[in-house]
Amino acid sequence: MCKAFPFIAAVTVLVIATGIFNAFTVRELLQEDSFNFIPIIVLSEIIFIFTLINFLQTAFTDPGILQKDKEDDNDNDFHTPLFKIVVINNTTVRLKYCDTCQFYRPPRTSHCSMCNRCIENFDHHCPWVNNCVGRRNYRFFFSFLMWLSLHILLTLALTIYRVVICRPLWSDIPSLVIAVLCFIAIFPIMGLLSFHIALNKDGANHKRTGDPQVQHE
């Protein structure tokens, strides 16, 4: 299976679902006389744009790839030690040697088996963006989760409103489908966002107290 398939599927679902929402739910809401939905719809479109921008930035930004060292023929005669002890900011740190990239990995750097590269501040490899999440694109990934959560919540609220006021209930199938899709998606997305908020809070506490934040692998 193509490695980019989850990324293509994610973009397709995001764009098509939002398109269906605009084509059916938004169109019907704009015809409502009881309430002016225009400001809310404009806000919804702005949130979607920021969601898509941060999604693409996460996917196409270098996550912090450390270039492989060129193999030195003279070094092949002996085995490089697996670990090396160094002192960073008065803290003793054990660095692990990466046989693939041919260097000792800096603190908080891990080797991604999917990308076959060492990534600074490696968080995880996300198949949905077909990229690792690391030092250089983590802010885009976090922003994407935030904007996507807002996008789903607002879309869910508007589609539920539209479905509830419909008589009979099944007269607006597209809005009902989007509402169900948003309801299913909101739990894992909000859970992941909450997890990263907790991680960032913990990281901020480490920096404030001066505790070293080093991974010993």
Side-chain angles (χ1 to χ4, degrees), residues 153-177:
L153 286 172
L154 186 54
T155 302
L156 179 61
L158 292 174
T159 50
I160 287 178
Y161 173 83
R162 174 60 191 161
V163 169
V164 168
I165 66 174
C166 281
R167 293 294 183 273
L169 181 65
W170 303 102
S171 62
D172 192 352
I173 296 298
S175 294
L176 183 60
V177 170

Side-chain angles (χ1 to χ4, degrees), residues 71-139:
E71 296 185 12
D72 191 346
D73 295 336
N74 296 327
D75 293 337
N76 293 332
D77 297 333
F78 64 91
H79 178 69
T80 304
L82 182 60
F83 296 101
K84 180 171 69 172
I85 304 299
V86 299
V87 177
I88 301 176
N89 296 330
N90 298 323
T91 302
T92 301
V93 180
R94 187 176 66 168
L95 304 182
K96 187 176 181 180
Y97 186 78
C98 179
D99 290 324
T100 303
C101 298
Q102 303 291 313
F103 59 70
Y104 286 97
R105 295 200 293 259
R108 300 190 62 192
T109 298
S110 296
H111 188 86
C112 175
S113 59
M114 297 293 294
C115 300
N116 200 30
R117 293 290 183 91
C118 281
I119 310 296
E120 287 186 277
N121 291 20
F122 179 78
D123 187 86
H124 69 287
H125 182 92
C126 181
W128 302 110
V129 298
N130 193 33
N131 197 8
C132 287
V133 177
R135 176 176 174 268
R136 298 176 188 169
N137 68 344
Y138 179 82
R139 65 186 184 276

Side-chain angles (χ1 to χ4, degrees), residues 7-211:
F7 167 73
I8 296 173
V11 173
T12 302
V13 170
L14 178 61
V15 173
I16 291 181
T18 303
I20 294 174
F21 169 74
N22 289 332
F24 294 93
T25 307
V26 169
R27 184 187 62 184
E28 296 297 330
L29 290 176
L30 291 177
Q31 296 176 1
E32 286 284 329
D33 296 328
S34 59
F35 186 81
N36 182 15
F37 282 95
I38 293 178
I40 300 178
I41 298 303
V42 171
L43 177 62
S44 174
E45 300 305 318
I46 292 174
I47 291 175
F48 168 70
I49 291 172
F50 276 101
T51 300
L52 188 59
I53 289 174
N54 281 278
F55 179 79
L56 295 177
Q57 285 181 308
T58 303
F60 295 107
T61 299
D62 176 5
I65 297 174
L66 298 178
Q67 298 300 322
K68 298 180 181 180
D69 282 353
K70 295 181 179 179
E71 296 185 12
D72 191 346
D73 295 336
N74 296 327
D75 293 337
N76 293 332
D77 297 333
F78 64 91
H79 178 69
T80 304
L82 182 60
F83 296 101
K84 180 171 69 172
I85 304 299
V86 299
V87 177
I88 301 176
N89 296 330
N90 298 323
T91 302
T92 301
V93 180
R94 187 176 66 168
L95 304 182
K96 187 176 181 180
Y97 186 78
C98 179
D99 290 324
T100 303
C101 298
Q102 303 291 313
F103 59 70
Y104 286 97
R105 295 200 293 259
R108 300 190 62 192
T109 298
S110 296
H111 188 86
C112 175
S113 59
M114 297 293 294
C115 300
N116 200 30
R117 293 290 183 91
C118 281
I119 310 296
E120 287 186 277
N121 291 20
F122 179 78
D123 187 86
H124 69 287
H125 182 92
C126 181
W128 302 110
V129 298
N130 193 33
N131 197 8
C132 287
V133 177
R135 176 176 174 268
R136 298 176 188 169
N137 68 344
Y138 179 82
R139 65 186 184 276
F140 300 130
F141 175 73
F142 184 82
S143 297
F144 165 66
L145 291 179
M146 182 186 67
W147 288 112
L148 180 60
S149 298
L150 292 175
H151 180 54
I152 293 176
L153 286 172
L154 186 54
T155 302
L156 179 61
L158 292 174
T159 50
I160 287 178
Y161 173 83
R162 174 60 191 161
V163 169
V164 168
I165 66 174
C166 281
R167 293 294 183 273
L169 181 65
W170 303 102
S171 62
D172 192 352
I173 296 298
S175 294
L176 183 60
V177 170
I178 297 300
V180 172
L181 182 63
C182 288
F183 182 78
I184 294 173
I186 192 59
F187 293 102
I189 297 299
M190 289 294 293
L192 187 58
L193 176 61
S194 301
F195 173 73
H196 280 275
I197 289 175
L199 283 182
N200 288 327
K201 182 179 179 181
D202 183 64
N205 289 335
H206 277 292
K207 291 181 180 179
R208 185 163 54 248
T209 58
D211 294 338

